[in-house]
C-alpha cells in the first residue's frame, strides 16, 4: 500500500524567509505531483515531476524529486503573503495504469509580515 | 473551456434524504474521481472510474454509489445521507497513463454538502 507523508502539516513563516516542505512516499514511483489549494477553493496543479532528479521552478517555488530516496521537496524562496495556501503532494503508483494517485494530508502554509 | 464542472455547489440535506452530485468534464479524459475533503484529513478517494461504464471503490466508499454512463459525466449518489457525510466533495479527471501521458488531475470547484 502506497503511503504519502508530508511534513510539516502546518507552517507559519515570515515574509522574506526560505523554507522547505517535504513529501515522503513508501513505494517505488517516478511520478509526483504538487497542488495548491487556496482557502475555500479548488486544487490547482503546480508541478508535475516525471523522473528522478526532476526539478521544476515557478516564481518563488521550486520542486524536486529524488526517486531513490522516495522524497520530493517544495522549496519556498523569500516567501510572500500570496503564497499562503495549502500544498498537497500526490504520488502515482509506478506506471500500473489504473491505480489512483495517493495524496498527502497537505501542508497549510501561512506567510506573515 | 469549462474544464471540470460540479453541480450543485452547495446543498443542505436532512438525515436520510438522498441526492446526486453531477460532475462533467469536457477534456475527453478517460479517468474520473470523486474525493471528499474534511479538516485535517486531506483528500480521501471515494470512488473512481477508468472509463465509461466502469467504476471502482476508493478509500472511503461506504454510503456512496457512482455511475459513469457517459465518458464526460461521473455521478456521485448518497442513498441515505448521514451527518458524517457532511463534507466538501471534489470531482477530478485525468488522462490515463497510457503512452507518454501522465495523470495530472484537474479538479472541479467543489460541492459543499451539509447533512443535518
Amino acid at each position: 500500500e502506497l503511503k504519502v507523508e508530508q511534513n510539516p502539516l502546518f507552517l507559519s513563516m515570515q515574509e522574506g524567509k526560505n523554507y522547505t516542505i517535504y513529501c515522503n512516499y513508501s513505494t517505488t514511483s517516478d511520478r509526483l505531483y504538487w497542488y495548491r489549494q487556496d482557502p475555500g477553493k479548488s486544487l490547482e496543479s503546480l508541478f508535475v515531476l516525471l523522473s528522478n532528479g526532476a526539478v521544476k521552478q515557478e516564481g518563488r517555488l521550486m520542486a524536486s524529486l529524488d526517486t531513490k530516496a522516495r522524497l520530493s521537496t517544495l522549496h519556498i524562496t523569500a516567501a510572500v503573503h500570496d503564497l499562503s495556501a495549502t500544498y498537497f503532494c500526490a504520488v502515482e503508483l509506478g506506471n500500473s495504469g489504473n491505480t489512483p494517485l495517493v495524496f498527502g494530508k497537505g501542508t497549510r502554509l501561512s506567510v506573515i509580515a | 473551456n469549462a474544464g471540470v464542472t460540479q453541480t450543485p455547489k452547495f446543498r443542505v440535506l436532512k438525515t436520510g434524504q438522498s441526492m446526486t452530485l453531477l460532475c462533467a468534464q469536457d477534456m475527453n479524459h478517460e479517468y474520473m474521481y470523486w474525493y471528499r475533503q474534511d479538516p485535517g484529513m486531506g483528500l480521501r478517494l471515494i470512488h473512481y472510474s477508468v472509463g465509461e461504464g466502469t467504476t471502482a471503490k476508493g478509500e472511503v466508499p461506504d454510503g456512496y454509489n457512482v455511475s459513469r454512463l457517459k465518458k464526460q459525466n461521473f455521478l456521485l449518489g448518497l442513498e441515505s445521507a448521514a451527518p458524517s457525510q457532511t463534507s466538501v466533495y471534489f470531482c477530478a479527471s485525468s488522462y490515463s497513463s497510457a503512452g507518454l501521458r501522465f495523470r495530472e488531475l484537474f479538479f472541479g470547484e467543489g460541492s459543499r454538502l451539509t447533512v443535518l
Side-chain angles (χ1 to χ4, degrees):
Chain A
E1 179 188 353
L2 174 58
K3 294 186 177 180
V4 180
E5 293 187 354
Q6 288 182 236
N7 69 84
L9 296 181
F10 298 94
L11 176 57
S12 180
M13 56 188 299
Q14 286 187 315
E15 283 188 330
K17 299 293 186 181
N18 304 332
Y19 207 83
T20 300
I21 298 170
Y22 298 89
C23 175
N24 293 272
Y25 53 97
S26 60
T27 60
T28 301
S29 175
D30 57 3
R31 292 181 174 183
L32 190 137
Y33 307 79
W34 283 97
Y35 291 86
R36 169 181 170 143
Q37 184 181 35
D38 293 313
K41 303 293 185 181
S42 185
L43 284 80
E44 63 174 320
S45 179
L46 284 176
F47 300 110
V48 179
L49 303 171
L50 298 177
S51 62
N52 185 42
V55 177
K56 295 279 185 72
Q57 182 165 6
E58 179 153 343
R60 300 175 188 273
L61 299 177
M62 184 174 71
S64 65
L65 178 61
D66 181 344
T67 58
K68 294 179 181 177
R70 299 177 186 170
L71 171 68
S72 180
T73 60
L74 181 65
H75 187 73
I76 303 155
T77 302
V80 293
H81 181 72
D82 286 352
L83 291 179
S84 296
T86 300
Y87 295 86
F88 293 91
C89 64
V91 180
E92 187 173 339
L93 188 60
N95 289 327
S96 61
N98 292 345
T99 309
L101 302 189
V102 179
F103 281 80
K105 290 192 183 299
T107 297
R108 183 180 294 180
L109 171 64
S110 177
V111 181
I112 56 178
Chain B
N1 188 352
V4 179
T5 304
Q6 293 180 227
T7 53
K9 293 195 171 33
F10 301 93
R11 184 75 186 267
V12 178
L13 289 177
K14 294 181 179 178
T15 297
Q17 287 185 317
S18 63
M19 75 158 296
T20 300
L21 296 175
L22 170 64
C23 178
Q25 54 96 2
D26 61 2
M27 296 173 281
N28 202 33
H29 285 164
E30 292 89 355
Y31 292 5
M32 296 187 75
Y33 315 81
W34 276 108
Y35 290 90
R36 61 178 288 174
Q37 185 175 34
D38 303 291
M41 303 294 288
L43 285 167
R44 293 185 291 170
L45 182 66
I46 305 170
H47 286 280
Y48 65 101
S49 169
V50 300
E52 182 177 323
T54 70
T55 63
K57 294 180 180 180
E59 181 185 359
V60 288
D62 293 341
Y64 304 94
N65 57 71
V66 288
S67 64
R68 186 132 179 241
L69 300 179
K70 295 182 179 180
K71 184 177 184 179
Q72 64 268 33
N73 295 337
F74 195 29
L75 278 64
L76 177 71
L78 282 70
E79 299 163 339
S80 178
S84 61
Q85 293 178 303
T86 294
S87 187
V88 179
Y89 292 85
F90 286 99
C91 176
S93 68
S94 74
Y95 289 115
S96 71
S97 297
L100 298 177
R101 296 184 298 189
F102 48 87
R103 246 174 312 134
E104 181 182 15
L105 266 62
F106 294 83
F107 285 85
E109 299 271 321
S111 297
R112 186 174 296 273
L113 175 65
T114 301
V115 182
L116 302 177

